[in-house]
Every structure is written in structure tokens, then in C-alpha cells.
Amino acid sequence: MSSSASPSPAAPGTVFGGDFVVVRPLKEGGMGAVYVAEQRSTGARRALKLMHPQHAANEAMRRRFEQEARVGARIDSDHVVEVIAAGVDEASGVPWIAMELLDGEDLGEHARRLGALSPRETLDVFRMLCHALAAAHDAGIVHRDLKPENVFLARSRRTAQGEGSGPAFTLKVLDFGIARISADALGTATAALGTPLWMAPEQTSRGPLITPATDVWALGLIAFYLLAGSWYWRTAHEESPTVTQFLRELTLEPLDAASERARDLGLHALPAGFDAWFARCVVREPASRFPDARAALAALEPVLATATATASEATAELPGGTMPVEASAFAPPGLKPVRPFFVGTETERALARGAAPAPTPAPATGPATAITRDNDARRRTPRWPFLLAAAGVAALAFAGRGWLRGLLSPRADATPAPPASSAPAPPAPPSALAPAPASDDAARLAGLETAKESPTVAFAATVFPVGYALGAVDERPVHDVSFPTFFLQIDETTVGQYARCVAVGRCTPAGTGEFCNAGVPGRERNPVNCVSNPQAAAYCAWLGRRLPTEDEWEYAASGKAKRLYAWGNQAPGAGRVCFGRGDAGTCDVASFDAGATPEGLRDMTGDVWEWTSSDYCPYDGSACARDQKVARGGGWFSADPNVVRTQVRQGYAPAVESANVGFRCARSL
């Protein structure tokens, strides 16, 4: 079938160059579209790029497309996409390029899916990226359109190896030499803020000479994007940016230090030494930049290597160490990439994975085992996904009035009310999981007393956009959720408060052991942890309350302003949140007033993750993991600012009792 026989050069079955048969569309851009094609002569699948017909009508652009397609062959690097063949279709006049077909995702998609990358991951990317650019610069070629969408992370074809074997992808730079064509095609007045976000000031005029330093400018912005988690330019963060606004910022306004800009935009903290490197890349005078990609990489490597070593030392101090992050680089769509975060026993980790727990021997009877769960000497191995969920726990309020500010003051744990009956309690059951119940009246009175000391804040009925467009895959898409007025506790549920529920027979004991707070002297004001989702729900029911839904939790934590963190958009700092504590464990509740929400909720992130009542369901409407409940808010041992964002979510098996998870209660109007 010839191309002239089809009404469209992209129709399935259309042949280009006598050898490449269109199979299906793959991706479309401003200059052209890419299709999966089959090469007749070899039977191999290829990527076939076709120029849009409206551009192909321009004789000069058509010739340039064909000429530029051969540029890749002059670059001596495995990290440049391989061009198989190129030409101009005689029948339709459409220029085409046949390239190797890559399996993976571009760097922009990768960063949007995972959020900010670690220094180690960024260094892996930049070593391969700069290898390709250095080879191009050696050959006298400047990319001129370097951006995350033109950097592809292909699944590696290497045999799987153990930890430390390197990244799980092979980087390929795309579209060498096409940038100038793209600029000509887009024009200047109505161009979208895609390519312009990465272009150097000299690219706004036809006068200045384009040199390798032009690509260095883009390298600086890409490094910021990967490490900070979003764009450097303020204009890009506005709802309706214009090219005029952006060009003013690009060419005229002062260029803030990278760390200052990240802090002001509420992005992730940057490694020490990065500011100086970034300033040498993103300086308006090309002669003041690093001369080429090789020099830029040589200066960046020690910065990222030092940051990686520092992070490794901090991680080594965490209980059980961590798992390698490279395994998460290509999590299938719809799945959260798994990184070390979970604190728990082997049985608990099996439950978290959905496996059936191994049988455990019946505990010995007697007072010594009454509140112990076979964890006297357990070592808890952390595993943390890139962005996770649930922090804190709860305190509660007097019925109908807990939201009043007058009830925000004293919350000291009081001695449990004595039982109304003086009759001796019945003996503990052989399971030793629950204490002897007190009378219903005593239990009710104790619950009311505890509720008085656990005030709540009211949140009016609203429609709220849940999720984060730049977050992990399970935080997308952003979608509106409507819910009625509800109340949420100001503080986390403490060990002392939970113990009252146990004492009156309405709750089963929290787990004990390393990093668990129950039974540890001096930790009565710490959040209760090592409790399952049903245990947390039982405590809330004792107070006439319930666990919050995850939508309620996110609205309360981020507010109508959609704050990235409970306190605002500034990254975590000293005095804001209890996290990054290694083996030091949790903190007393209400210790970090600077980290409170504007509405008055404390410890919404950090300290412990928080159980919710919600099943762990993807936002895209696909099947829910109904054997898991969502936890929210970030925990005490991680030092990654990502884990304390307000949109982070994670699923746990309801039976899991983790030292990293607690709860707080909600109630309806």
C-alpha cells in the first residue's frame, strides 16, 4: 500500500520510505506526530516521526527536517536516540524519520509521576544526559530545545542485577537539531509555555550566537526541576501565565538563588552547594556559564555525590536501613512506587502486602502478657514509598461544642474515672487481647471526660479539589469532592487517652515493643501507635466519634488554599514537625505550634501517620484495594519532606499495627 492511496499519511498501513508501515499512533507534538511502525525488511518495530502536513508545505522547513534528521549519526553516544532512516515521502511530500522504538517514559512524565527526585537519582540522570550533550558539543552540535520531554528514560535491556548495579533505565536524548524548526513553527506571539520554560535568554532574539552554553542554561533549569519538584519560574506557577509575563521574568527580573526560589515556592529543599552550580548555569550572559555539558557535569557531580552520601549516612541510622530506590523507577501506571517506609514486624509487613499472617503460638496467660503482643524484642524494618500517607492522631471535643476556641486550652491526661461498680472484674480471657470490661455507665462517663479534653475544629460543608497534579500517581487526577460539615480533633490521640479506653474495656491494648509507645514510662503524652484500623475505630466509637475519611483529612490538613504542607507552602524546617528522628521515636503531641494549620490543628503531618476510614481507591475510578485502608500524613522516622505533604496517601492492611501509624477522630454535625 503506498502513501498516496491513503487519505492521511498517518493512516494504519501507510508505507514510508518503502520499508516502514504505520501500525498505530504513539504521540503528537507541535511539529509532528510519532507512530509505531513495522520495518518490513527486518520485522522490527520502530518509531516513525512524521512532520505535520501544514509544516511540510514549507519548502525550507521540509529540507531542514530531512537534513537535521541525520544529526544524530554524528554524535558518538549511546544516549542519543538511534536514527534508522529518514527521507521525504515522494507521494505526500511529508518528511519522515524512522528511529529506534523505546519502551519507558520521558523525563517529564517520570518527574510528574514520582515528584522530586533524590540527589542520587538526579545524578544518574545527569551522567547519561551530559554524556550525550558533551558528545554533541564535541561535534559542534547544540540541541537548542533541551527539556524533560526531550529526554527519554527507556527500560534497560541489561540483565537484572543486585542493589548498587545502577539505574533501571537507559537515558536517550531526542530531537537533536529540531529545536530551531520548532521555534520557527511556533512563532513568537502565541507560543505555549512549554519549550520557552527551558530556553536561554539568547534564544529570544535572532542576533546572539547559539553555543553549547545555551544547552547549559537548560541543564540548570532541569536539575532544579528534578530536585525541587517543579519549575524555577514563578510565571509557570500562575493559573493563566502569558508569554509576555514569562519573557519579562526570563530577560529582566532578578534571578533568585535556587534554594531561595524553592523555599518561596514551597518546593523541596536543595542540596548544599547547589546554589553556586545553578548560578553558573542560569546566568544571562552566555560567556559566564559553564562552557559546555562536560564542564557542567564535572561541577555538579561532587554536589550530588556529597548529598547522596549524607542521605545514606542518615538512612543508615534508621532502624533496619532502607531498600534501594531504583526498583521504583518504573512502577506500572496506577501503582505507587515502593520505597522503604514501613515499620513493623515480619507478620505486619506480610499483612501490609496482603498476605495471610503466619500462625503465632498462643500467648502465655497471666498478668505479664495482658497488654503485650509477642513483640517484646521485635526489630522493625522500615520501607517507605515515595510519597505516603497518614500522620498524627487525635484528641476530641465535648459534644456539639468542641470546635469553640474556649475549649482549646487544657488537655492534660486525667486519671481514669473509677468504675461505678466495686465488684471484682472477671479474669482476662486466654487471648489476653482485651481487659475485663467495666460497667457501661463507667465506660460512658470515661468517654465523655476524655472527649472534653480532646477538642475539635469545625469544617463547613464544601466542595473541595482533592489530589495534587504534580504528586505521585495515586494523587492524580485532581477531582472535586463534596462533603457535609464535620469536626476533626485538634491533637493526636495520646497513649494516656487510649489507655483509658482500654481500662474501661472498650478498646484492646495497643501493641508494645521497640518504637511502640504503650507501656513506656514518660510517653503518656506521645501519640498512641501500634494500633490497627479497627482498634482506632473502636476508640473513636467510644467517644461517639469516627475515623475521618481521607477526603475530610486532606481538606482539614491543606485548607481551601490547597497548602502543600499543614502550615503553608514552605518546606519543613526546625520547630514545625516531628520527623527525621531516626531511632528517637515520636514526640509529645502539641510540641510544634509553628507547624499547626491556620485553623488550629496540630501535628497533622509528622509524628505518626493517621488511619482513615477510606478504602485505598485509585482516583481514576479503577478497582479499589478494599483490603487496604488509607493512612495519611507522614511519620516520625523519615527525613524526606515529601512524606509530610498534605496530599500524600498510602494503603495499609487494616490489621497492621505499625509503630509509624496512629490516628485522630472526627465527628459529623
Side-chain angles (χ1 to χ4, degrees):
M1 181 178 184
S2 75
S3 56
S4 59
S6 170
S8 169
T14 303
V15 181
F16 287 85
D19 198 23
F20 301 96
V21 183
V22 172
V23 175
R24 59 179 173 85
L26 187 61
K27 191 172 184 179
E28 187 166 357
M31 274 300 299
V34 181
Y35 299 84
V36 175
E38 182 174 319
Q39 187 174 9
R40 282 176 165 177
S41 58
T42 64
R45 288 292 175 100
R46 305 296 187 189
L48 184 68
K49 183 171 184 176
L50 306 177
M51 179 180 281
H52 285 318
Q54 63 267 33
H55 300 323
N58 185 310
E59 180 68 25
M61 292 180 68
R62 190 170 67 247
R63 287 198 307 268
R64 181 183 281 174
F65 187 95
E66 182 180 13
Q67 176 183 350
E68 298 281 359
R70 298 187 176 92
V71 167
R74 297 169 50 192
I75 303 174
D76 186 18
S77 174
D78 290 335
H79 300 298
V80 175
V81 66
E82 180 185 1
V83 175
I84 308 300
V88 177
D89 185 66
E90 293 183 0
S92 65
V94 172
W96 58 269
I97 308 171
M99 302 170 287
E100 61 178 316
L101 181 62
L102 303 174
D103 180 19
E105 62 187 347
D106 68 50
L107 185 58
E109 295 167 334
H110 185 74
R112 287 189 293 273
R113 178 169 63 83
L114 296 184
L117 303 189
S118 69
R120 165 65 184 276
E121 293 166 311
T122 302
L123 183 55
D124 286 339
V125 167
F126 263 68
R127 281 172 172 160
M128 289 184 270
L129 174 57
C130 290
H131 186 280
L133 289 177
H137 294 166
D138 289 346
I141 298 167
V142 180
H143 191 288
R144 296 175 296 193
D145 194 25
L146 194 61
K147 56 186 177 182
E149 289 71 22
N150 280 340
V151 178
F152 198 89
L153 307 183
R155 298 179 191 274
S156 177
R157 298 175 181 174
R158 295 178 290 111
T159 302
Q161 300 178 29
E163 182 178 351
S165 61
F169 58 82
T170 297
L171 183 146
K172 299 280 187 174
V173 178
L174 312 178
D175 287 344
F176 259 107
I178 308 300
R180 190 174 295 277
I181 301 175
S182 299
D184 291 344
L186 288 171
T188 57
T190 60
L193 279 180
T195 294
L197 286 175
W198 314 99
M199 70 182 183
E202 60 267 24
Q203 292 178 274
T204 64
S205 170
R206 294 184 180 274
L209 180 66
I210 301 298
T211 69
T214 300
D215 287 342
V216 169
W217 172 282
L219 285 175
L221 294 174
I222 291 172
F224 180 94
Y225 178 75
L226 298 182
L227 291 166
S230 194
W231 309 281
Y232 173 81
W233 303 111
R234 296 184 188 279
T235 310
H237 293 266
E238 296 180 3
E239 287 190 10
S240 302
T242 66
V243 173
T244 301
Q245 288 175 309
F246 171 71
L247 290 178
R248 179 179 179 83
E249 185 178 9
L250 173 69
T251 59
L252 297 176
E253 294 179 1
L255 299 175
D256 295 338
S259 58
E260 180 182 347
R261 181 63 59 89
R263 183 172 57 252
D264 290 347
L265 293 173
L267 304 176
H268 299 282
L270 298 171
F274 183 79
D275 278 0
W277 180 86
F278 181 82
R280 181 82 186 274
C281 291
V282 184
V283 56
R284 292 191 174 106
E285 175 52 54
S288 298
R289 297 176 205 149
F290 294 109
D292 54 29
R294 184 177 287 105
L297 176 63
L300 181 62
E301 276 191 308
V303 173
L304 297 184
T306 299
T308 298
T310 301
S312 298
E313 290 171 3
T315 296
E317 297 177 358
L318 298 180
T322 62
M323 294 170 58
V325 298
E326 286 78 15
S328 71
F330 287 101
L335 297 180
K336 177 186 289 292
V338 176
R339 297 190 177 192
F341 94 103
F342 182 72
V343 178
T345 63
E346 289 298 328
T347 298
E348 292 163 355
R349 291 196 296 276
L351 286 169
R353 295 190 298 268
T360 55
T365 59
T369 61
I371 58 170
T372 313
R373 296 182 184 275
D374 78 320
N375 43 14
D376 298 316
R378 52 186 174 183
R379 291 296 304 173
R380 301 176 176 274
T381 305
R383 289 173 21 207
W384 41 287
F386 177 72
L387 295 174
L388 304 167
V393 195
L396 315 107
F398 185 68
R401 298 172 56 195
W403 58 275
L404 294 174
R405 288 288 176 178
L407 294 179
L408 295 183
S409 39
R411 301 163 341 280
D413 295 335
T415 304
S421 172
S422 59
S431 67
L433 295 183
S439 72
D440 287 344
D441 285 346
R444 182 179 62 83
L445 290 173
L448 288 173
E449 182 65 24
T450 303
K452 286 182 183 179
E453 299 171 1
S454 301
T456 59
V457 169
F459 292 88
T462 190
V463 175
F464 179 72
V466 170
Y468 184 43
L470 299 177
V473 66
D474 66 348
E475 298 172 41
R476 308 192 304 264
V478 176
H479 58 289
D480 287 341
V481 173
S482 176
F483 41 81
T485 297
F486 67 96
F487 298 78
L488 190 64
Q489 293 177 190
I490 290 171
D491 290 315
E492 303 167 331
T493 301
T494 66
V495 170
Q497 290 166 340
Y498 189 83
R500 296 181 191 178
C501 186
V502 174
V504 297
R506 293 298 175 86
C507 294
T508 56
T512 61
E514 191 169 21
F515 306 120
C516 294
N517 289 330
V520 179
R523 296 224 164 189
E524 292 80 9
R525 292 292 302 158
N526 272 230
V528 66
N529 57 3
C530 301
V531 288
S532 67
N533 188 278
Q535 285 179 300
Y539 174 90
C540 293
W542 175 55
L543 300 176
R545 298 177 181 175
R546 58 178 172 79
L547 287 174
T549 67
E550 68 162 325
D551 296 332
E552 290 172 335
W553 191 99
E554 182 172 321
Y555 174 51
S558 60
K560 291 183 178 179
K562 288 285 289 182
R563 300 180 295 266
L564 285 177
Y565 303 98
W567 52 86
N569 292 325
Q570 298 77 32
R576 287 196 187 275
V577 63
C578 179
F579 87 133
R581 287 173 54 84
D583 60 359
T586 58
C587 306
D588 279 359
V589 301
S591 296
F592 298 91
D593 287 341
T597 70
E599 298 78 16
L601 300 176
R602 291 181 286 233
D603 302 313
M604 283 297 283
T605 55
D607 222 358
V608 286
W609 304 82
E610 297 183 4
W611 283 118
T612 74
S613 62
S614 299
D615 292 331
Y616 184 50
C617 298
Y619 288 162
D620 62 6
S622 56
C624 294
R626 298 195 183 279
D627 58 344
Q628 296 184 20
K629 293 292 185 181
V630 174
R632 288 279 195 150
W636 51 270
F637 74 86
S638 176
D640 186 347
N642 280 306
V643 302
V644 291
R645 278 196 301 102
T646 56
Q647 299 86 11
V648 168
R649 57 198 302 256
Q650 174 64 20
Y652 282 93
V656 163
E657 299 170 12
S658 171
N660 208 31
V661 182
F663 66 97
R664 75 177 74 213
C665 302
R667 65 180 178 86
S668 302
L669 181 64

